[in-house]
Amino acid sequence: MLSTQRVYLTSAAIIVSLVALGAAFPKAFASTAATLLSSLSRYFGWFYLLSVFVFVVFLLVLAFSKYGKIRLGPQDSTPDYSLFSWLSMLLSAGFGVGLVFYGMAEPMLHLQEPPHGLAEPGTRQAAALAIQYSFFHWGVNQWAAFTLVGLIIAFFQFRKDRPGLVSTMVEPALRDLPRRQVASDTLDVMAVIATVTGVATSLGLGVLQMNGGLESVFGWPNDVWSKAGILGAMFLCYMASSYTGLDRGIRMLSNLNMVLCLTLMAYMLITGPTVRIFDVFVNGLGAYFGNFIEMALTIPPFERGDWMDRFTVFYWAWVIAWSPFVGTFVARVSRGRTIKEFVFGVLLIPPLLACAWIAVFGGTALDLDLTQNAGLAAVVHNDVPSGLFKMYELLPHGHLLSGLTMVLLFIFLVTSADSATYIVAQMTDQGSLNPPLKKRLTWGVLISAICITLISAGGLKGLQSAALLAALPFALVLFLMVIVLVRELREDRRNMLLDLYHRNEGTPVGGDPFEAEEFTDLAPEEKIRRRLTTVNRTPPG
C-alpha cells in the first residue's frame, strides 16, 4: 500500500515543508524569492523563450502531418463534450484568472514602459506596441505548453489505455535505467510540484485582484487577512464543486463563466469606443503575426531594466509550470477528437478569444488615456490589481461592471482550483480518472496554503519566482515527452497501416509507397529488382 502512495506522500511532504518555511521565515522566504526571480531570468531566460517557440512549431507541423487524423481514443470514437462546453472548460481551466488580471493592465503597463524601449512612453506608437506584445503574451505561445502536454497525455491515456501520468509518457525512455521506478516517481513528483506551484500562482493573482476590486468598490482593507478571507471563501466553494464531480460542477460553472465573459465583452464593445476597439483588434493581430518570429526569439543581451524578466520570461515559465495541470485537464475533456482538431482547437481558439478580450478592455483603457488623459497607466503602475476597477469608475454603470467582474473572477478561481484539485489528486492516485475525495480535499487545502504563503511572504514577486523555479526542470521533461510521442505516433500509424494491409489481402492501403513497401511479403532482393524494373522501364512510343 505504501509503495503505491509514494508520489502522493512525497509531493505532499514537500508542499507542507514549503508552507512551513514560508510561515516561519517570511522575510527570508521573500528575499530568496526575489533572488531566484532575478537569477533564473538572467541565466535561463533564453531557454524559456526557445522552448516555447519550439513547442509551437512542433505542434503546427504535427497538425498538418500524416498523423493529424489520428484520434485521441479509438479511431471510431466521438468527442465526449459539445464544442461550446469543451471550449468553456478550456478557458476556465486555462487562463481565465490571469486574463482578467492582465487583460486591461498589461497594455497599460506597456504604454508606460514600452517593450524593449522601442517607443517613447505614453505615445500612440507605445500604445500600438502595447497591444502587439499583449497579444503575443496571450497568443499561441501562451497555449503551446498546455496543448503539448494535453495532447501527449490524451494520446497515451485514451489511445494507448495507459495512466495519465508524466512518468507514463516517458516510460519508453526509462526502460534501460537500473532504478526505473525511482526515476518514474521523481518525474511524477516534479509534475505535481510544478502543477501546485503554477496553480497557486494563478490563484494568487486572482486573489490580489479581487482584494483590489473590493477595496476600490467597497473600501475593504487590502491586507493579508482580507486575502485569506477571499481564499477561504473560494476554498469552500471549490471543495463543494469538487464534490459534485467533473461533469456537473466544473462543466456548469465553466459554461456560466463563458456566458458572463461574453456578456461583459459585448457590453464594453457596444458602449465603449467600438470602432477604435475593432481597429485595435485588427491592427494588433496584423502586428502580432507580422512580427511573430522576432518577438518569440528576441532577448536583447544588453537591454537595460528587467522588462523581459517581468513579462515574457515570467509568462513562459508560468505556463510551463502550469502545463501538467492544464494539459491533464484538457486531455480529460478532449477524448475522441483528432490530433489536428485538438491542436487547432486548443492552440488557436482560446488565444483568439484572449486577444479579443485584450482589444476590448485594453483598447478601451488606452483610448481613455490617450484621448481623455484618464491616468489609468499610472494607476496600474502603482497597483496592478485595482487598475480594471479604476477604469470602471470612468464608465457608465461602473459598480455593476465591477460586481460582474468580481463574480466572473471568483468563478474562474473556483473552477481553476476545482480542476486543479481533481487533476493533482489524479496525478497522485496512479492516474485514476476518479481519484478519491480525501485526496481532492488534501490537495485543496495544500494548494490554498501554498497560495497564501506565497502572497504573504513574497507578494507578486513570490508568485513569479515560484513559477520560474518549478518550470525549469519540467521544461526538460517536456522535450523528453516530445521525443517519446514522435516514436509512439510513428509506431501507431505503422500498426494501423499493417492492419489495413492484412484486412485487404495484402493490398497496401492508406500509406505512401515507402510505408506500403514495408508490409509486402517479398524478399529484399525481389523488392530491389522490382524497384529497378519500375525505375528503368522504357516509356511507350
Side-chain angles (χ1 to χ4, degrees):
M1 177 64 179
L2 186 62
S3 62
T4 62
Q5 302 298 322
R6 281 191 297 260
V7 173
Y8 171 62
L9 295 174
T10 303
S11 52
I14 293 173
I15 296 298
V16 169
S17 300
L18 289 174
V19 171
L21 285 172
F25 309 103
K27 290 185 178 180
F29 196 88
S31 175
T32 303
T35 302
L36 282 173
L37 179 62
S38 175
S39 299
L40 288 171
S41 301
R42 182 185 308 132
Y43 295 111
F44 296 101
W46 63 271
F47 177 69
Y48 293 123
L49 264 68
L50 187 61
S51 297
V52 172
F53 180 74
V54 169
F55 297 156
V56 172
V57 173
F58 170 76
L59 288 165
L60 292 176
V61 170
L62 186 64
F64 285 109
S65 73
K66 57 189 177 184
Y67 304 116
K69 294 182 180 179
I70 294 177
R71 282 198 181 274
L72 303 175
Q75 202 59 27
D76 58 351
S77 60
T78 56
D80 290 346
Y81 298 97
S82 68
L83 183 62
F84 183 82
S85 291
W86 184 51
L87 293 176
S88 297
M89 287 190 278
L90 294 182
L91 291 169
S92 294
F95 59 72
V97 173
L99 189 59
V100 176
F101 187 88
Y102 281 113
M104 170 268 179
E106 185 175 338
M108 305 312 294
L109 291 170
H110 298 335
L111 178 67
Q112 194 167 54
E113 185 184 1
H116 306 301
L118 296 175
E120 289 295 321
T123 62
R124 294 185 180 275
Q125 184 183 3
L129 281 171
I131 292 295
Q132 176 184 325
Y133 273 85
S134 297
F135 280 14
F136 168 59
H137 288 149
W138 293 91
V140 296
N141 293 56
Q142 169 85 241
W143 274 80
F146 300 158
T147 308
L148 180 65
V149 176
L151 173 64
I152 294 171
I153 291 178
F155 177 80
F156 280 94
Q157 191 166 29
F158 301 126
R159 183 81 175 181
K160 298 297 184 181
D161 198 25
R162 300 180 192 173
L165 300 172
V166 171
S167 59
T168 303
M169 311 303 110
V170 298
E171 183 181 356
L174 303 178
R175 287 172 183 166
D176 297 330
L177 292 180
R179 303 187 68 182
R180 186 176 63 183
Q181 189 59 52
V182 174
S184 296
D185 290 345
T186 301
L187 289 174
D188 287 333
V189 169
M190 286 171 56
V192 172
I193 301 302
T195 300
V196 172
T197 306
V199 170
T201 301
S202 294
L203 297 185
L205 294 176
V207 169
L208 291 175
Q209 188 169 36
M210 279 207 71
N211 201 171
L214 291 171
E215 181 187 26
S216 298
V217 179
F218 301 109
W220 277 34
N222 194 342
D223 54 25
V224 173
W225 295 109
S226 295
K227 295 177 178 64
I230 295 170
L231 198 58
M234 182 192 68
F235 170 78
L236 294 176
C237 289
Y238 77 70
M239 283 293 96
S241 176
S242 182
Y243 183 78
T244 63
L246 180 69
D247 290 331
R248 293 183 59 192
I250 299 177
R251 180 170 59 85
M252 291 171 60
L253 288 174
S254 299
N255 288 343
L256 173 61
N257 242 19
M258 182 68 121
V259 172
L260 283 174
C261 178
L262 295 176
T263 301
L264 267 174
M265 286 180 62
Y267 177 84
M268 293 288 293
L269 180 62
I270 293 170
T271 62
T274 306
V275 175
R276 185 66 58 83
I277 289 172
F278 279 118
D279 288 345
V280 165
F281 181 67
V282 174
N283 290 332
L285 284 180
Y288 169 42
F289 289 123
N291 298 279
F292 177 79
I293 295 178
E294 181 182 359
M295 290 188 294
L297 297 176
T298 294
I299 182 166
F302 304 111
E303 183 176 273
R304 294 182 179 181
D306 59 349
W307 185 90
M308 282 286 297
D309 300 347
R310 288 183 286 112
F311 289 102
T312 308
V313 174
F314 163 62
Y315 277 135
W316 292 177
W318 178 20
V319 297
I320 290 172
W322 212 14
S323 64
F325 151 57
V326 180
T328 304
F329 181 78
V330 167
R332 176 68 180 82
V333 299
S334 301
R335 184 180 184 276
R337 300 190 181 273
T338 65
I339 288 178
K340 180 181 289 187
E341 183 182 9
F342 179 92
V343 169
F344 285 118
V346 181
L347 189 63
L348 299 182
I349 294 178
L352 188 62
L353 184 58
C355 291
W357 178 279
I358 292 169
V360 170
F361 288 85
T364 300
L366 288 170
D367 183 70
L368 288 170
D369 256 29
L370 294 174
T371 62
Q372 301 181 30
N373 197 25
L376 291 173
V379 171
V380 172
H381 179 76
N382 293 326
D383 185 21
V384 174
S386 65
L388 180 61
F389 301 100
K390 293 296 183 183
M391 183 182 75
Y392 286 154
E393 293 177 4
L394 305 175
L395 303 175
H397 310 295
H399 277 71
L400 177 60
L401 292 174
S402 295
L404 285 176
T405 299
M406 282 188 280
V407 171
L408 176 71
L409 188 62
F410 189 77
I411 298 176
F412 268 137
L413 285 169
V414 171
T415 51
S416 295
D418 186 358
S419 307
T421 56
Y422 178 90
I423 295 305
V424 178
Q426 176 182 330
M427 293 166 70
T428 55
D429 195 53
Q430 299 181 305
S432 169
L433 291 178
N434 295 292
L437 181 61
K438 66 177 183 180
K439 287 191 176 180
R440 282 180 275 161
L441 289 172
T442 299
W443 286 113
V445 172
L446 291 177
I447 287 172
S448 297
I450 193 67
C451 179
I452 195 64
T453 299
L454 291 170
I455 289 174
S456 59
L460 186 58
K461 281 194 173 182
L463 295 169
Q464 291 174 327
S465 302
L468 282 169
L469 183 60
L472 185 58
F474 196 73
L476 299 173
V477 177
L478 286 180
F479 279 106
L480 184 59
M481 291 167 67
V482 167
I483 295 171
V484 174
L485 175 66
V486 171
R487 292 177 181 174
E488 292 289 331
L489 284 172
R490 187 179 299 150
E491 182 64 23
D492 187 89
R493 177 174 167 81
R494 186 183 187 283
N495 290 337
M496 283 196 298
L497 292 176
L498 190 59
D499 179 64
L500 281 171
Y501 174 78
H502 289 305
R503 281 194 287 138
N504 289 275
E505 299 180 350
T507 303
V509 179
D512 60 36
F514 299 100
E515 290 175 319
E517 190 177 69
E518 292 181 22
F519 310 135
T520 62
D521 296 325
L522 299 174
E525 296 80 4
E526 181 64 14
K527 289 182 184 180
I528 294 173
R529 188 189 68 77
R530 293 193 179 192
R531 190 184 305 141
L532 291 173
T533 302
T534 302
V535 171
N536 297 324
R537 182 177 296 160
T538 303

